[in-house]
mmCIF file of all heavy atoms in Angstrom:
data_model
loop_
_atom_site.group_PDB
_atom_site.id
_atom_site.type_symbol
_atom_site.label_atom_id
_atom_site.label_comp_id
_atom_site.label_asym_id
_atom_site.label_seq_id
_atom_site.Cartn_x
_atom_site.Cartn_y
_atom_site.Cartn_z
ATOM 1 N N LEU A 1 -40.142 -12.414 22.104
ATOM 2 C CA LEU A 1 -39.190 -11.784 21.165
ATOM 3 C C LEU A 1 -38.057 -12.594 20.887
ATOM 4 O O LEU A 1 -37.402 -12.566 19.790
ATOM 5 C CB LEU A 1 -38.765 -10.437 21.765
ATOM 6 C CG LEU A 1 -39.837 -9.253 21.735
ATOM 7 C CD1 LEU A 1 -39.386 -8.146 22.647
ATOM 8 C CD2 LEU A 1 -40.171 -8.892 20.319
ATOM 9 N N HIS A 2 -37.592 -13.409 21.925
ATOM 10 C CA HIS A 2 -36.464 -14.343 21.692
ATOM 11 C C HIS A 2 -36.873 -15.609 20.968
ATOM 12 O O HIS A 2 -36.027 -16.222 20.361
ATOM 13 C CB HIS A 2 -35.834 -14.711 23.099
ATOM 14 C CG HIS A 2 -34.876 -13.666 23.574
ATOM 15 N ND1 HIS A 2 -35.362 -12.481 24.175
ATOM 16 C CD2 HIS A 2 -33.546 -13.605 23.657
ATOM 17 C CE1 HIS A 2 -34.290 -11.759 24.598
ATOM 18 N NE2 HIS A 2 -33.157 -12.414 24.267
ATOM 19 N N ASN A 3 -38.109 -15.921 21.066
ATOM 20 C CA ASN A 3 -38.660 -17.125 20.434
ATOM 21 C C ASN A 3 -39.970 -16.844 19.707
ATOM 22 O O ASN A 3 -41.052 -17.273 20.150
ATOM 23 C CB ASN A 3 -38.874 -18.294 21.414
ATOM 24 C CG ASN A 3 -37.646 -18.560 22.233
ATOM 25 O OD1 ASN A 3 -36.868 -19.459 21.824
ATOM 26 N ND2 ASN A 3 -37.500 -17.913 23.388
ATOM 27 N N PRO A 4 -39.983 -16.065 18.660
ATOM 28 C CA PRO A 4 -41.195 -15.584 18.050
ATOM 29 C C PRO A 4 -42.120 -16.613 17.439
ATOM 30 O O PRO A 4 -43.309 -16.445 17.356
ATOM 31 C CB PRO A 4 -40.782 -14.529 16.959
ATOM 32 C CG PRO A 4 -39.336 -14.971 16.719
ATOM 33 C CD PRO A 4 -38.787 -15.524 17.956
ATOM 34 N N VAL A 5 -41.505 -17.741 17.045
ATOM 35 C CA VAL A 5 -42.310 -18.787 16.338
ATOM 36 C C VAL A 5 -42.953 -19.755 17.338
ATOM 37 O O VAL A 5 -44.151 -20.092 17.197
ATOM 38 C CB VAL A 5 -41.425 -19.519 15.287
ATOM 39 C CG1 VAL A 5 -42.243 -20.658 14.629
ATOM 40 C CG2 VAL A 5 -40.883 -18.511 14.249
ATOM 41 N N LEU A 6 -42.126 -20.200 18.314
ATOM 42 C CA LEU A 6 -42.700 -21.288 19.200
ATOM 43 C C LEU A 6 -42.784 -20.808 20.687
ATOM 44 O O LEU A 6 -43.431 -21.570 21.468
ATOM 45 C CB LEU A 6 -41.745 -22.499 19.125
ATOM 46 C CG LEU A 6 -41.642 -23.166 17.766
ATOM 47 C CD1 LEU A 6 -40.638 -24.338 17.808
ATOM 48 C CD2 LEU A 6 -43.060 -23.651 17.421
ATOM 49 N N GLY A 7 -42.257 -19.710 21.098
ATOM 50 C CA GLY A 7 -42.319 -19.331 22.451
ATOM 51 C C GLY A 7 -41.447 -20.219 23.369
ATOM 52 O O GLY A 7 -40.555 -20.934 22.864
ATOM 53 N N GLY A 8 -41.712 -20.183 24.660
ATOM 54 C CA GLY A 8 -40.912 -20.856 25.635
ATOM 55 C C GLY A 8 -41.512 -22.108 26.186
ATOM 56 O O GLY A 8 -40.911 -22.743 27.034
ATOM 57 N N GLY A 9 -42.691 -22.536 25.716
ATOM 58 C CA GLY A 9 -43.334 -23.702 26.289
ATOM 59 C C GLY A 9 -44.430 -23.233 27.329
ATOM 60 O O GLY A 9 -44.453 -22.079 27.783
ATOM 61 N N PHE A 10 -45.258 -24.166 27.710
ATOM 62 C CA PHE A 10 -46.337 -23.848 28.597
ATOM 63 C C PHE A 10 -45.941 -23.300 29.936
ATOM 64 O O PHE A 10 -45.137 -23.973 30.629
ATOM 65 C CB PHE A 10 -47.309 -25.092 28.812
ATOM 66 C CG PHE A 10 -48.094 -25.375 27.561
ATOM 67 C CD1 PHE A 10 -47.644 -26.144 26.547
ATOM 68 C CD2 PHE A 10 -49.431 -24.911 27.470
ATOM 69 C CE1 PHE A 10 -48.344 -26.457 25.394
ATOM 70 C CE2 PHE A 10 -50.158 -25.182 26.333
ATOM 71 C CZ PHE A 10 -49.620 -25.971 25.301
ATOM 72 N N HIS A 11 -46.397 -22.049 30.244
ATOM 73 C CA HIS A 11 -46.063 -21.389 31.502
ATOM 74 C C HIS A 11 -44.519 -21.209 31.654
ATOM 75 O O HIS A 11 -43.989 -21.342 32.740
ATOM 76 C CB HIS A 11 -46.623 -22.172 32.713
ATOM 77 C CG HIS A 11 -48.138 -21.867 32.941
ATOM 78 N ND1 HIS A 11 -48.728 -21.951 34.182
ATOM 79 C CD2 HIS A 11 -49.069 -21.557 32.029
ATOM 80 C CE1 HIS A 11 -49.976 -21.649 34.070
ATOM 81 N NE2 HIS A 11 -50.244 -21.415 32.792
ATOM 82 N N ALA A 12 -43.942 -20.797 30.582
ATOM 83 C CA ALA A 12 -42.519 -20.626 30.531
ATOM 84 C C ALA A 12 -42.108 -19.448 31.573
ATOM 85 O O ALA A 12 -41.105 -19.499 32.215
ATOM 86 C CB ALA A 12 -42.010 -20.201 29.199
ATOM 87 N N VAL A 13 -42.957 -18.448 31.602
ATOM 88 C CA VAL A 13 -42.612 -17.287 32.525
ATOM 89 C C VAL A 13 -42.622 -17.737 33.982
ATOM 90 O O VAL A 13 -41.929 -17.083 34.852
ATOM 91 C CB VAL A 13 -43.621 -16.156 32.247
ATOM 92 C CG1 VAL A 13 -45.032 -16.486 32.808
ATOM 93 C CG2 VAL A 13 -43.106 -14.881 32.868
ATOM 94 N N ALA A 14 -43.309 -18.792 34.301
ATOM 95 C CA ALA A 14 -43.441 -19.329 35.678
ATOM 96 C C ALA A 14 -42.339 -20.383 35.941
ATOM 97 O O ALA A 14 -42.450 -21.113 36.902
ATOM 98 C CB ALA A 14 -44.785 -19.886 35.974
ATOM 99 N N THR A 15 -41.286 -20.361 35.149
ATOM 100 C CA THR A 15 -40.118 -21.254 35.368
ATOM 101 C C THR A 15 -38.947 -20.437 35.864
ATOM 102 O O THR A 15 -38.579 -19.382 35.240
ATOM 103 C CB THR A 15 -39.773 -21.897 34.005
ATOM 104 O OG1 THR A 15 -40.905 -22.640 33.586
ATOM 105 C CG2 THR A 15 -38.582 -22.818 34.204
ATOM 106 N N GLN A 16 -38.419 -20.776 37.000
ATOM 107 C CA GLN A 16 -37.413 -19.941 37.607
ATOM 108 C C GLN A 16 -36.160 -19.730 36.787
ATOM 109 O O GLN A 16 -35.685 -18.567 36.647
ATOM 110 C CB GLN A 16 -36.992 -20.590 38.962
ATOM 111 C CG GLN A 16 -36.100 -19.678 39.846
ATOM 112 C CD GLN A 16 -36.793 -18.440 40.276
ATOM 113 O OE1 GLN A 16 -37.812 -18.442 40.892
ATOM 114 N NE2 GLN A 16 -36.180 -17.216 39.927
ATOM 115 N N SER A 17 -35.709 -20.688 36.075
ATOM 116 C CA SER A 17 -34.535 -20.504 35.290
ATOM 117 C C SER A 17 -34.777 -19.620 34.068
ATOM 118 O O SER A 17 -33.868 -18.789 33.676
ATOM 119 C CB SER A 17 -34.010 -21.871 34.747
ATOM 120 O OG SER A 17 -35.053 -22.533 33.963
ATOM 121 N N VAL A 18 -35.972 -19.682 33.530
ATOM 122 C CA VAL A 18 -36.390 -18.758 32.390
ATOM 123 C C VAL A 18 -36.491 -17.309 32.986
ATOM 124 O O VAL A 18 -36.056 -16.357 32.323
ATOM 125 C CB VAL A 18 -37.700 -19.266 31.762
ATOM 126 C CG1 VAL A 18 -38.119 -18.216 30.687
ATOM 127 C CG2 VAL A 18 -37.536 -20.628 31.197
ATOM 128 N N TRP A 19 -37.154 -17.207 34.156
ATOM 129 C CA TRP A 19 -37.322 -15.875 34.726
ATOM 130 C C TRP A 19 -35.957 -15.264 35.020
ATOM 131 O O TRP A 19 -35.749 -14.081 34.769
ATOM 132 C CB TRP A 19 -38.134 -16.001 35.998
ATOM 133 C CG TRP A 19 -38.402 -14.697 36.663
ATOM 134 C CD1 TRP A 19 -37.649 -14.102 37.625
ATOM 135 C CD2 TRP A 19 -39.527 -13.803 36.474
ATOM 136 N NE1 TRP A 19 -38.235 -12.855 38.021
ATOM 137 C CE2 TRP A 19 -39.344 -12.694 37.378
ATOM 138 C CE3 TRP A 19 -40.658 -13.930 35.650
ATOM 139 C CZ2 TRP A 19 -40.331 -11.680 37.337
ATOM 140 C CZ3 TRP A 19 -41.609 -12.938 35.752
ATOM 141 C CH2 TRP A 19 -41.412 -11.820 36.552
ATOM 142 N N ASP A 20 -35.012 -16.030 35.534
ATOM 143 C CA ASP A 20 -33.688 -15.540 35.862
ATOM 144 C C ASP A 20 -33.000 -15.030 34.582
ATOM 145 O O ASP A 20 -32.215 -14.071 34.639
ATOM 146 C CB ASP A 20 -32.849 -16.613 36.542
ATOM 147 C CG ASP A 20 -33.293 -16.911 37.933
ATOM 148 O OD1 ASP A 20 -33.992 -16.061 38.567
ATOM 149 O OD2 ASP A 20 -33.056 -18.081 38.421
ATOM 150 N N ARG A 21 -33.229 -15.701 33.467
ATOM 151 C CA ARG A 21 -32.631 -15.321 32.234
ATOM 152 C C ARG A 21 -33.153 -13.979 31.692
ATOM 153 O O ARG A 21 -32.394 -13.168 31.067
ATOM 154 C CB ARG A 21 -32.833 -16.410 31.204
ATOM 155 C CG ARG A 21 -32.196 -16.154 29.846
ATOM 156 C CD ARG A 21 -32.413 -17.346 28.967
ATOM 157 N NE ARG A 21 -31.974 -17.096 27.583
ATOM 158 C CZ ARG A 21 -32.017 -17.915 26.519
ATOM 159 N NH1 ARG A 21 -32.484 -19.134 26.736
ATOM 160 N NH2 ARG A 21 -31.568 -17.549 25.350
ATOM 161 N N PHE A 22 -34.416 -13.689 31.867
ATOM 162 C CA PHE A 22 -35.037 -12.584 31.187
ATOM 163 C C PHE A 22 -35.499 -11.461 32.119
ATOM 164 O O PHE A 22 -35.947 -10.428 31.636
ATOM 165 C CB PHE A 22 -36.222 -13.062 30.321
ATOM 166 C CG PHE A 22 -35.852 -13.974 29.165
ATOM 167 C CD1 PHE A 22 -36.275 -15.252 29.217
ATOM 168 C CD2 PHE A 22 -35.098 -13.511 28.178
ATOM 169 C CE1 PHE A 22 -35.959 -16.155 28.192
ATOM 170 C CE2 PHE A 22 -34.705 -14.282 27.154
ATOM 171 C CZ PHE A 22 -35.126 -15.664 27.102
ATOM 172 N N LYS A 23 -35.385 -11.678 33.416
ATOM 173 C CA LYS A 23 -35.942 -10.634 34.433
ATOM 174 C C LYS A 23 -35.225 -9.333 34.190
ATOM 175 O O LYS A 23 -34.007 -9.289 33.833
ATOM 176 C CB LYS A 23 -35.764 -11.154 35.815
ATOM 177 C CG LYS A 23 -34.232 -11.256 36.257
ATOM 178 C CD LYS A 23 -34.188 -11.815 37.644
ATOM 179 C CE LYS A 23 -32.733 -11.879 38.072
ATOM 180 N NZ LYS A 23 -32.593 -12.459 39.494
ATOM 181 N N GLY A 24 -35.934 -8.267 34.398
ATOM 182 C CA GLY A 24 -35.356 -6.881 34.263
ATOM 183 C C GLY A 24 -35.454 -6.414 32.843
ATOM 184 O O GLY A 24 -35.338 -5.132 32.599
ATOM 185 N N GLN A 25 -35.727 -7.260 31.844
ATOM 186 C CA GLN A 25 -35.853 -6.759 30.493
ATOM 187 C C GLN A 25 -37.342 -6.405 30.260
ATOM 188 O O GLN A 25 -38.258 -7.081 30.745
ATOM 189 C CB GLN A 25 -35.437 -7.834 29.503
ATOM 190 C CG GLN A 25 -33.990 -8.268 29.637
ATOM 191 C CD GLN A 25 -33.564 -9.384 28.680
ATOM 192 O OE1 GLN A 25 -33.919 -9.268 27.490
ATOM 193 N NE2 GLN A 25 -32.881 -10.417 29.176
ATOM 194 N N LYS A 26 -37.543 -5.384 29.465
ATOM 195 C CA LYS A 26 -38.928 -4.828 29.363
ATOM 196 C C LYS A 26 -39.686 -5.272 28.067
ATOM 197 O O LYS A 26 -40.893 -5.144 28.004
ATOM 198 C CB LYS A 26 -38.912 -3.293 29.382
ATOM 199 C CG LYS A 26 -38.384 -2.775 30.732
ATOM 200 C CD LYS A 26 -38.372 -1.301 30.877
ATOM 201 C CE LYS A 26 -37.887 -0.873 32.244
ATOM 202 N NZ LYS A 26 -37.958 0.620 32.292
#
């Protein structure tokens, strides 16, 4: 939703800094 065109890169969700930024949001 924050990056609808390109996403966050390969395995972005498994990146701690990315997780810390978006955790808790549904």
Side-chain angles (χ1 to χ4, degrees):
L1 288 170
H2 279 76
N3 304 270
V5 178
L6 296 177
F10 286 85
H11 280 208
V13 70
T15 302
Q16 189 63 56
S17 58
V18 177
W19 183 271
D20 290 338
R21 178 178 176 179
F22 297 114
K23 66 181 180 182
Q25 301 180 45
K26 297 184 178 181

